[in-house]
């Protein structure tokens, strides 16, 4: 079997990512979160369990403070996040996830487990584990949340 052209590798990786994310969001919509978009998922991950300022959020997402603020505005409108006083510094506002936001992340984690199980059923556990190990090797094993900033840049 001849090697595939080099340009196919990133497209196949992106297609796999896109398939997982599209399947996740279809199921999230069925489970009561129809307004969650991929960018919101990255933003909620970047906000994290302890919250973040808009400036911190922008850095984590690789976007400007203003762009992060717009995302927070939308997450607030949808009930996924809220702005609150920072208990450590009254001059700062923290963005925190609401119970609705936390619920969407908890559901996302469970859905990803199901999606991975579907890949295992189709490809076999050994192949999926090998794929994950190989991706950790070539990527250094870290996770980045700055997709929006990277795509826009």
């Amino acid at each position: 079997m001849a090697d595939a052209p080099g340009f196919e590798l990133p497209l196949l990786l992106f297609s796999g990512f896109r398939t997982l994310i599209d399947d996740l969001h279809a199921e999230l919509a069925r489970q009561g979160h129809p307004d969650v978009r991929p960018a919101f998922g990255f933003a909620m991950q970047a906000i994290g369990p302890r919250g973040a300022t808009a400036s911190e959020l922008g850095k984590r997402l690789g976007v400007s403070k203003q762009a992060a603020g717009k995302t927070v505005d939308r997450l607030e409108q949808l009930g996924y996040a809220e702005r609150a006083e920072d208990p450590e510094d009254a001059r700062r506002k923290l963005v925190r996830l609401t119970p609705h936001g936390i619920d969407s992340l908890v559901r996302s984690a469970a859905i990803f487990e199901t999606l991975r199980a579907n890949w295992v059923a189709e490809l076999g556990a050994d192949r999926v584990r090998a794929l994950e190990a190989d991706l950790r090797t070539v990527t250094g094993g870290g996770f980045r949340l700055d997709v929006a900033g990277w795509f826009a840049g």
Side-chain angles (χ1 to χ4, degrees), residues 3-14:
D3 285 344
F7 71 85
E8 283 190 13
L9 179 59
L11 295 174
L12 288 167
L13 288 168
F14 182 73

Side-chain angles (χ1 to χ4, degrees), residues 17 20-21 24-25 107-117:
F17 170 80
L20 287 168
I21 297 301
L24 165 75
H25 286 275
R107 288 176 186 273
S108 293
I111 294 165
F112 276 131
E113 290 298 323
T114 300
L115 295 173
R116 185 184 183 280

